[in-house]
Amino acid sequence: MSLRICIFTEPHRGADYEDQRRFAQHVEDCGFEGFFRADHYQAMGADPGLPGPTDAWVTLGALARETSRIRLGTLVTSTTFRLPGPLAVTVAQVDRMSGGRVELGLGAGWYAREHTSYGIPFPPVAERFDRLEEQLAVITGLWRTPVGERFSHRGDHYRLVDAPALPKPVQSPAPPIIVGGRGPKRTPELAARYADEFNMPFKSVAETARAYRRVAEACDRTGRAVAGRPPLVLSAGVVAAIGRTDAEVRRRAAPLHVKSALPPEDPVIGSPARLVERLGEFAAVGASRVHLRLIDFQDLDHLELIAGEVLPQL
């Protein structure tokens, strides 16, 4: 089995910048491939998530200067939060600040409550996907425009005229784009056309395998291979609560039982061997990368346990 393992976090549950800095540096020290974070402005349960939200790209810009090896990115930035032109500038800048270690997960957005709370427009789902498609076209177009040339785009939702398409990211031709989700139609098509990685978040192995088949079919329909583009990286999101003892497992799994607006998930709760087994199942259906979601930013021992007893078996 050969899997690359990243750590995924949800700071909107309750984490300030110092929590995230300490955790990300420990992720790096433990040998994981990357540190990814959610891009949300509000917790999804009754707990408000003190001390409150932190902006994903402000945080990643700071972490770019306080880490040296790990990949850094979002799973996922919502198209409703930012205009595509300024977002392309932001991500390119953070990529330069990190020396070329940034990845952009981009999605249509889904959590209505945080939009209402902070005055962010939340159009119907069809329009959100239309905007996602345009944002992917604009961002990749800006990054790939040669220095000295201009980029223009005229769409239903965004219009750019003679943009200088600067700054350029360090990674060439562009930072990796991650598109993911459970959608059966537009999500696979957008991943096939624009993404470098397709991520199926926090579902069973069987559901993930079905999503991978849909994406493979979309790649065939869009002629991705004929166009000479590399195959999509297939990744899975896995919620993990791992312990050496039953008591440790119960403590780490407790937050997973709190009522939340999140869709149903399929967590791995148990021993390191159980996690190794599940990761092997994902590898068998085509995953080459896994984003492990850990809940508690203060629980550095959780990182150390997985690094010591799971990573060596991958």
Side-chain angles (χ1 to χ4, degrees):
M1 173 169 47
S2 178
L3 280 175
R4 296 176 291 138
I5 306 297
C6 300
I7 298 298
F8 170 68
T9 64
E10 295 185 319
H12 56 276
R13 288 174 177 263
D16 63 16
Y17 173 71
E18 286 303 315
D19 295 325
Q20 295 173 73
R21 177 193 59 77
R22 181 174 57 253
F23 200 77
Q25 289 176 334
H26 213 64
V27 167
E28 182 164 85
D29 292 342
C30 285
F32 294 94
E33 183 185 60
F35 172 89
F36 286 74
R37 57 156 287 166
D39 191 357
H40 283 293
Y41 288 125
Q42 190 167 346
M44 294 162 192
D47 186 337
L50 295 175
T54 52
D55 183 85
W57 286 102
V58 171
T59 300
L60 292 173
L63 293 177
R65 308 303 292 177
E66 299 202 64
T67 58
S68 61
R69 179 190 57 79
I70 51 173
R71 306 294 295 176
L72 299 167
T74 51
L75 282 177
V76 293
T77 285
S78 172
T79 58
T80 57
F81 291 172
R82 300 168 182 86
L83 297 172
L87 179 59
V89 171
T90 296
V91 178
Q93 179 180 349
V94 177
D95 194 53
R96 298 185 72 87
M97 293 167 68
S98 71
R101 295 184 284 122
V102 159
E103 304 184 23
L104 172 62
L106 197 62
W110 66 273
Y111 187 40
R113 178 60 187 165
E114 65 187 333
H115 293 74
T116 302
S117 293
Y118 287 96
I120 303 168
F122 189 66
V125 63
E127 181 180 331
R128 298 202 306 275
F129 270 92
D130 290 342
R131 288 178 177 272
L132 172 60
E133 184 169 1
E134 272 198 58
Q135 289 213 5
L136 287 164
V138 168
I139 291 168
T140 56
L142 286 166
W143 286 342
R144 288 174 168 82
T145 298
V147 173
E149 297 185 15
R150 301 275 171 158
F151 174 82
S152 295
H153 171 87
R154 188 182 184 97
D156 294 333
H157 301 287
Y158 308 105
R159 183 179 181 186
L160 289 76
V161 180
D162 292 336
L166 296 172
K168 294 299 180 203
V170 171
Q171 297 176 87
S172 181
I177 297 282
I178 304 172
V179 170
R182 306 166 184 85
K185 296 180 180 179
R186 296 193 69 178
T187 298
E189 294 288 338
L190 293 176
R193 290 175 57 193
Y194 292 103
D196 301 280
E197 176 178 330
F198 171 78
N199 176 257
M200 181 60 166
F202 316 122
K203 303 302 284 185
S204 71
V205 174
E207 290 172 288
T208 300
R210 289 193 291 271
Y212 289 171
R213 288 194 291 271
R214 291 193 295 266
V215 170
E217 292 165 359
C219 287
D220 289 341
R221 286 193 301 271
T222 59
R224 183 182 178 102
V226 174
R229 296 186 62 200
L232 270 174
V233 171
L234 300 178
S235 69
V238 177
V239 183
I242 304 304
R244 301 175 184 85
T245 65
D246 290 345
E248 276 191 355
V249 172
R250 286 194 298 270
R251 173 171 58 80
R252 288 172 174 149
L256 304 179
H257 304 303
V258 176
K259 186 177 180 180
S260 167
L262 286 168
E265 299 172 333
D266 189 28
V268 180
I269 300 172
S271 67
R274 180 68 191 96
L275 180 56
V276 171
E277 179 184 8
R278 178 70 64 84
L279 295 179
E281 293 168 354
F282 278 114
V285 300
S288 61
R289 195 185 207 195
V290 168
H291 300 270
L292 289 180
R293 193 180 95 199
L294 305 185
I295 303 298
D296 187 354
F297 280 90
Q298 310 304 322
D299 190 0
L300 302 184
D301 181 66
H302 203 183
L303 283 174
E304 294 168 3
L305 174 61
I306 296 170
E309 298 194 25
V310 175
L311 291 191
Q313 301 188 60
L314 307 181

